[in-house]
Amino acid sequence: MSSESSRKLTIYDLAKLANSSPSTVSAVLNGTWQRRRISRKLAKRILELAEREGYSTNMQARALRRDRSGILGMILPLYDNRYFSSIAQVFEAEARRRGIFTIVSCTNRDPAQEREAARMMLAYRVEHLICTGATDPDAIAEMCSAAGIASLNLDLPGTAAPSVISANREGARRLTDALLDRLEARRADAARVLFIGGRAEDHNTRERIEGFRQAREKRGLATAPTDIVTCDYAAEKAQAALEAYVDREGRLPAAMFVNSTISLEGIVRWLRLGGHDVNDIIMGCFDWDPLAAAFHPRLIMMRQDVPTMIARLFDWIDVPPEDPARRLEVMPEIVGDPM
Amino acid sequence: MSSESSRKLTIYDLAKLANSSPSTVSAVLNGTWQRRRISRKLAKRILELAEREGYSTNMQARALRRDRSGILGMILPLYDNRYFSSIAQVFEAEARRRGIFTIVSCTNRDPAQEREAARMMLAYRVEHLICTGATDPDAIAEMCSAAGIASLNLDLPGTAAPSVISANREGARRLTDALLDRLEARRADAARVLFIGGRAEDHNTRERIEGFRQAREKRGLATAPTDIVTCDYAAEKAQAALEAYVDREGRLPAAMFVNSTISLEGIVRWLRLGGHDVNDIIMGCFDWDPLAAAFHPRLIMMRQDVPTMIARLFDWIDVPPEDPARRLEVMPEIVGDPM
DNA sequence: AATAGTTGCACAACCGATTGCGCATTCATA
DNA sequence: TATGAATGCGCAATCGGTTGTGCAACTATT
């Protein structure tokens, strides 16, 4: 804490102050001093000195020499929903617990930004790159493998790197079951169930649609193409899509499978604006938001198990799977009173 | 893209391939070649070569030599609300536009984590450190100035570094005015207005309380200590605090000034659980969340002007203010039909 | 043809840490 | 007392860029 003289303190300065050598100081500071047979006494003296002078290792120099940055990179579509923000937070927390530094960058579901962010992360020589919800995970996996850096996919799977994702199909089956149970309890027309939100070309949406279809099929219900509206995630798109659906059908759906909280926002807004009671429609959302739950306690939500997903991710950071196309599904949890 | 032979390509490899020297390659790649009088022809050849071979600058080496990392650091309490997540996103977007790399770290409103994150960022030699909503901004500002690194505060002000914050007092006055207008329109008892959420020791909460008080005073209304409950931000705390208030007063408040969406969550949940109609209470929230707005269109919200705040922040990154205690207030915007 | 100025590039010394290697001491053993 | 092993530490090369300096070769000037 003393002598904030002018420039940053280096191991050379410390060596001079301690009447020792830079290599010794280095060994002491990075904990390899026993292996180098530095005496405990000298080590202690140097450590105290470093502490007193407020020394901090220059990570650039260390990274350069070690050829490892000690940084973990993650790219993320957005921060603005509970799922992704929780991914970022849990990821950071676990990394911090391990003393690893993280760099998180959001890329707005835009393939060009994803590539650009990946390029930057590779330039900073991150040790692993986690691609979360990437629109083109394989493109990034290839950039990484060309650079000799391991990459992992999260949330949306790829074929060129191992992937940890939610069990979308099974989760969707369960969510759909819950919706259908409620419809039966209410003796409503189980045909009028609408799946809304997401992208047809995105793996998770496809899986959820398949789960939706299977759950209905099991009860002898057919699913028509008009029952499924993959209008992208944005609130405005969901709003417009619901309006179009109601125009066409002439009435509201009896139940809805909403594919994200962001879509939910548009749907709730449209219902409000039209003077409808949100509670008249049985709603499930494949996502979780506590504020939505507070406002609408009858809303059924699938909460994706972020802590487990991140834990599996770190398992693979520790021990990379041999199969580069390895895929692991983590079961999400249904929240909100199912009946 | 060719020859992903084995190791990462360096300027030495490129120099050999181009029959040139590392210094020339370096100058070409970082754009200083004209100043060094490298011929246009050679520059072009080297650039093409680098492109073809997929060269990427080792940022650690560059940072070490230049003694500047090209990284901007930000610490943040959390990602899980729209205000902070939007700060992170807008900050990143602007930095990306300028070709600057960012590192964002969330520190859970915990002073120890804040210091630890700051220490890491300083070790990575960030060029500026932005402290957002820090519980102890001055401690971090001092760490930074000891390390010779500029720091700025965002959202919560400090005295040791310049601060960009919301105009909390004026915003709170306006929000309170809107609440009181509605109360009058409804001929409800304007005395029963509750300010809830936040921390008494935090600058923003104090300012908002002062604005709340002033707006009421202007209408001849006194504010009692029991009208103000700074129970921290967490949903559970707000829930418990509201319950205690209602127990004591024997009835619900006529209106509420809720100090954050996270507190709002607890309040709405408690009202729902108690079977109350959320619409019976006139509510304002000093924060903004589109999902809440969709569910509760009568809710009045103050949306903090994140784009402007970030723009001012970058103004100060470009040209640091002379006064280290400089403070700038950015006006938030009232959203939701005021009447 | 001699001199001065310009053009075009390469040399080599850094930046701050890490690490293989080797050289003095000291200690144990014969 | 000589010999071998163990102890304790410093030397110097290295990671991959950046940048001050210098030196040819070429052009313009008188």
Side-chain angles (χ1 to χ4, degrees):
Chain A
M1 290 291 173
S2 75
S3 82
E4 318 300 2
S5 50
S6 50
R7 236 24 1 243
K8 265 301 212 176
L9 221 60
T10 71
I11 52 170
Y12 297 89
D13 303 323
L14 290 181
K16 231 164 275 169
L17 290 171
N19 268 321
S20 174
S21 77
S23 55
T24 300
V25 172
S26 170
V28 168
L29 291 176
N30 65 39
T32 58
W33 55 276
Q34 330 231 26
R35 211 178 314 146
R36 293 188 136 256
R37 297 191 308 241
I38 311 294
S39 68
R40 182 172 304 276
K41 208 174 65 175
L42 179 55
K44 186 149 169 272
R45 190 152 56 83
I46 290 178
L47 279 174
E48 286 170 358
L49 187 66
E51 173 73 16
R52 182 148 40 82
E53 300 289 331
Y55 171 81
S56 116
T57 308
N58 184 321
M59 299 308 244
Q60 329 287 353
R62 165 176 293 177
L64 176 59
R65 182 56 236 247
R66 284 207 181 146
D67 199 23
R68 342 179 335 158
S69 60
I71 302 179
L72 234 43
M74 172 178 268
I75 66 175
L76 207 65
L78 304 157
Y79 289 126
D80 68 0
N81 67 64
R82 297 302 280 251
Y83 177 52
F84 289 128
S85 64
S86 153
I87 285 178
Q89 281 182 204
V90 176
F91 175 69
E92 259 189 39
E94 176 60 18
R96 200 197 312 277
R97 212 182 57 73
R98 294 164 170 239
I100 307 174
F101 204 56
T102 57
I103 296 183
V104 181
S105 193
C106 46
T107 51
N108 304 299
R109 295 193 196 280
D110 171 2
Q113 283 188 53
E114 286 171 7
R115 299 172 64 90
E116 181 51 27
R119 201 185 313 283
M120 285 296 256
M121 300 222 164
L122 293 177
Y124 278 94
R125 303 297 190 266
V126 295
E127 298 187 12
H128 281 259
L129 182 52
I130 320 296
C131 307
T132 309
T135 59
D136 193 356
D138 285 350
I140 296 174
E142 271 154 33
M143 289 172 64
C144 290
S145 78
I149 284 179
S151 75
L152 295 171
N153 297 311
L154 183 62
D155 181 56
L156 276 175
T159 62
S163 312
V164 176
I165 62 176
S166 281
N168 289 292
R169 189 184 299 198
E170 176 59 20
R173 264 197 298 257
R174 295 190 191 174
L175 182 55
T176 308
D177 269 335
L179 291 174
L180 294 174
D181 286 346
R182 284 227 190 138
L183 277 169
E184 284 181 14
R186 211 186 260 195
R187 294 176 206 290
D189 180 1
R192 286 167 40 232
V193 182
L194 174 63
F195 181 106
I196 189 165
R199 296 177 170 183
E201 70 275 20
D202 125 10
H203 170 274
N204 291 354
T205 299
R206 283 203 310 271
E207 283 292 296
R208 292 172 193 174
I209 289 173
E210 186 52 28
F212 176 75
R213 194 190 305 275
Q214 288 180 2
R216 290 171 54 78
E217 193 172 7
K218 205 169 180 182
R219 304 203 187 194
L221 298 164
T223 302
T226 51
D227 295 339
I228 293 172
V229 182
T230 50
C231 57
D232 209 332
Y233 292 103
E236 296 67 33
K237 301 237 177 119
Q239 200 166 342
L242 177 56
E243 172 151 2
Y245 175 90
V246 173
D247 276 355
R248 197 177 56 232
E249 299 289 322
R251 54 180 179 172
L252 291 174
M256 276 195 262
F257 182 121
V258 183
N259 202 15
S260 77
T261 43
I262 187 77
S263 303
L264 182 67
E265 182 189 318
I267 285 164
V268 171
R269 191 185 304 140
W270 187 83
L271 291 173
R272 286 278 178 193
L273 290 177
H276 305 287
D277 185 346
V278 173
N279 287 294
D280 284 349
I281 304 182
I282 295 169
M283 280 207 283
C285 180
F286 203 109
D287 219 334
W288 177 80
D289 187 296
L291 195 47
F295 272 111
H296 189 330
R298 299 283 294 158
L299 180 62
I300 310 170
M301 293 199 250
M302 292 305 295
R303 181 176 191 174
Q304 304 187 59
D305 185 354
V306 172
T308 302
M309 294 171 81
I310 299 292
R312 292 304 142 262
L313 203 66
F314 273 94
D315 289 347
W316 283 354
I317 288 174
D318 294 334
V319 184
E322 329 74 44
D323 177 8
R326 179 78 182 283
R327 192 175 292 187
L328 186 71
E329 297 201 344
V330 175
M331 195 60 209
E333 181 199 7
I334 203 159
V335 294
D337 169 27
M339 285 301 283
Chain B
M1 291 290 174
S2 74
S3 82
E4 317 301 359
S5 50
S6 50
R7 242 9 19 231
K8 264 300 213 178
L9 221 58
T10 71
I11 52 170
Y12 297 89
D13 303 324
L14 289 181
K16 231 164 274 169
L17 289 171
N19 268 320
S20 175
S21 76
S23 55
T24 300
V25 173
S26 170
V28 168
L29 292 176
N30 65 39
T32 58
W33 56 276
Q34 329 230 26
R35 212 179 313 148
R36 293 188 138 257
R37 296 191 310 243
I38 310 296
S39 68
R40 180 172 304 275
K41 209 174 67 174
L42 180 55
K44 185 150 170 273
R45 191 152 56 83
I46 289 178
L47 279 174
E48 285 170 359
L49 188 65
E51 173 73 15
R52 184 149 39 82
E53 301 289 332
Y55 171 80
S56 117
T57 308
N58 184 323
M59 298 307 246
Q60 324 288 353
R62 165 175 293 177
L64 175 59
R65 184 55 238 248
R66 285 206 181 146
D67 199 24
R68 345 178 330 156
S69 61
I71 303 179
L72 234 43
M74 172 178 268
I75 66 174
L76 207 64
L78 303 157
Y79 289 127
D80 68 2
N81 67 64
R82 297 302 279 248
Y83 177 53
F84 289 128
S85 66
S86 155
I87 285 178
Q89 281 182 203
V90 176
F91 175 69
E92 258 190 40
E94 176 59 19
R96 201 198 311 278
R97 212 183 56 73
R98 295 164 169 240
I100 307 175
F101 205 56
T102 56
I103 297 184
V104 181
S105 196
C106 46
T107 51
N108 304 299
R109 294 193 197 279
D110 171 1
Q113 283 189 52
E114 286 171 7
R115 298 173 65 90
E116 180 51 26
R119 200 186 314 284
M120 284 296 257
M121 299 221 167
L122 292 178
Y124 278 94
R125 303 296 189 266
V126 295
E127 297 187 13
H128 282 258
L129 182 53
I130 320 296
C131 306
T132 308
T135 59
D136 192 356
D138 285 350
I140 295 174
E142 271 154 33
M143 290 172 64
C144 290
S145 77
I149 284 178
S151 75
L152 296 170
N153 297 310
L154 184 61
D155 180 56
L156 276 175
T159 61
S163 312
V164 176
I165 62 175
S166 281
N168 288 291
R169 189 184 297 199
E170 176 59 21
R173 265 197 296 259
R174 295 190 190 174
L175 182 55
T176 308
D177 270 335
L179 291 175
L180 294 175
D181 287 346
R182 283 226 190 139
L183 277 169
E184 285 181 11
R186 211 187 259 194
R187 297 178 202 290
D189 179 2
R192 287 167 39 232
V193 182
L194 173 63
F195 180 107
I196 189 166
R199 297 177 170 182
E201 70 274 19
D202 125 10
H203 170 274
N204 292 353
T205 298
R206 283 203 311 272
E207 283 294 295
R208 292 173 193 173
I209 289 173
E210 186 52 28
F212 176 74
R213 194 190 306 275
Q214 288 181 1
R216 291 171 53 78
E217 193 171 7
K218 205 168 178 181
R219 304 203 187 193
L221 298 165
T223 301
T226 50
D227 296 338
I228 293 172
V229 182
T230 50
C231 57
D232 209 334
Y233 292 103
E236 296 68 32
K237 302 237 177 117
Q239 201 166 341
L242 178 56
E243 173 151 0
Y245 175 90
V246 173
D247 276 356
R248 196 177 57 232
E249 300 290 321
R251 55 181 177 170
L252 292 174
M256 277 195 261
F257 183 122
V258 184
N259 202 15
S260 78
T261 43
I262 187 76
S263 303
L264 181 67
E265 183 189 318
I267 285 164
V268 171
R269 192 185 303 142
W270 187 84
L271 292 173
R272 286 279 178 192
L273 290 176
H276 306 286
D277 186 345
V278 173
N279 286 294
D280 284 348
I281 304 182
I282 295 169
M283 281 206 282
C285 180
F286 203 109
D287 219 335
W288 177 80
D289 186 298
L291 195 47
F295 272 110
H296 189 329
R298 299 283 295 159
L299 179 61
I300 310 170
M301 295 199 248
M302 291 305 295
R303 181 177 191 174
Q304 304 187 59
D305 185 354
V306 172
T308 302
M309 295 172 79
I310 299 292
R312 293 303 143 263
L313 202 67
F314 274 94
D315 290 347
W316 283 355
I317 288 173
D318 294 334
V319 184
E322 329 74 43
D323 178 8
R326 179 78 184 283
R327 192 176 290 188
L328 186 72
E329 297 200 344
V330 175
M331 195 59 209
E333 182 198 7
I334 202 160
V335 295
D337 170 28
M339 286 300 282

